[in-house]
Amino acid sequence: MSDRRCSVKGRQPPGEHWTKLIRHTMEEPAWRDLSSAAQAAYPWFKLEWRGPDANNNGKIRLSVRQLGERMGVRRDTAAEAIRDLQRKGFLYQTEAGRLGVDGEGKSPTYEITELKMPGTEKEKDGRKLYRQWRLGHDFPVARSNANNPMGTNGARTKPRHENRDGPVTESGTKRAALS
């Protein structure tokens, strides 16, 4: 069996990629109130961080589909985990997802509030919003807008405000019943 130790102290062996979860963070009330899916999702976001030398915090992209595949769960579960991480202050959305002019989609970008943002003072740590979280006082969750607000093929749409959803098309049977 080959020994894959590094020659430079503190460096990872080639091909290895790991992240650490800090016990103090995991003992916060916000962490204990997270769903188990959100707790499982958090390390996947931290694995997208490139480290302090190539700090990309605030520009971390991980789509719901990618997260679901990595966690082995449905997209709905992954989406709810991301929303839970935002509500408790572990993630902050810095840029909304969008569909580019070439038709290629871009997932939202996130800041991991535990980590230092690039361009800040060397001694300054992350914002750690989760420390300010209190039961019943969740942080706002960034909602994405519908890509097709007018509906498909020009059909009129009616938003469902009770679910805070984007516009939805009326069903044909409902329209026929109203006529």
Side-chain angles (χ1 to χ4, degrees):
M1 190 163 146
S2 68
D3 188 10
R4 296 188 65 193
R5 293 187 195 173
C6 330
S7 58
V8 180
K9 186 176 180 181
R11 298 269 175 134
Q12 298 177 28
E16 294 284 329
H17 190 169
W18 55 272
T19 189
K20 64 180 176 180
L21 294 177
I22 301 169
R23 184 181 190 132
H24 189 278
T25 303
M26 295 170 66
E27 291 174 346
E28 291 285 338
W31 180 267
R32 284 179 279 168
D33 201 60
L34 283 173
S35 66
S36 56
Q39 289 178 351
Y42 189 62
W44 288 109
F45 277 95
K46 286 190 74 174
L47 282 168
E48 294 299 311
W49 182 56
R50 295 189 194 124
D53 296 334
N55 194 345
N56 65 329
N57 196 17
K59 296 179 184 172
I60 293 173
R61 289 190 190 274
L62 186 60
S63 71
V64 170
R65 181 175 289 148
Q66 290 170 326
L67 181 62
E69 287 172 1
R70 291 176 187 181
M71 292 176 59
V73 297
R74 295 178 51 212
R75 281 184 263 174
D76 293 345
T77 305
E80 183 55 36
I82 292 171
R83 286 191 294 269
D84 201 16
L85 287 167
Q86 288 181 57
R87 281 192 291 263
K88 304 299 188 295
F90 289 93
L91 290 181
Y92 180 80
Q93 184 175 318
T94 56
E95 183 182 310
R98 65 187 183 281
L99 187 61
V101 292
D102 58 351
E104 186 177 330
K106 295 271 189 184
S107 59
T109 59
Y110 296 99
E111 168 195 352
I112 300 173
T113 64
E114 177 183 3
L115 304 172
K116 176 178 141 6
M117 286 290 283
T120 56
E121 299 172 21
K122 195 147 189 118
E123 298 82 33
K124 187 169 179 159
D125 207 4
R127 297 190 297 162
K128 298 184 181 183
L129 295 176
Y130 52 86
R131 289 183 176 172
Q132 300 166 16
W133 177 85
R134 298 292 175 258
L135 188 61
H137 299 288
D138 290 345
F139 289 97
V141 174
R143 297 279 182 183
S144 26
N145 296 329
N147 285 334
N148 188 6
M150 295 306 291
T152 57
N153 299 326
R156 295 199 179 264
T157 59
K158 179 181 174 188
R160 293 177 53 194
H161 297 290
E162 66 273 5
N163 293 335
R164 301 175 85 189
D165 286 341
V168 294
T169 57
E170 292 182 24
S171 67
T173 56
K174 186 176 180 182
R175 275 187 269 171
L178 294 174
S179 317

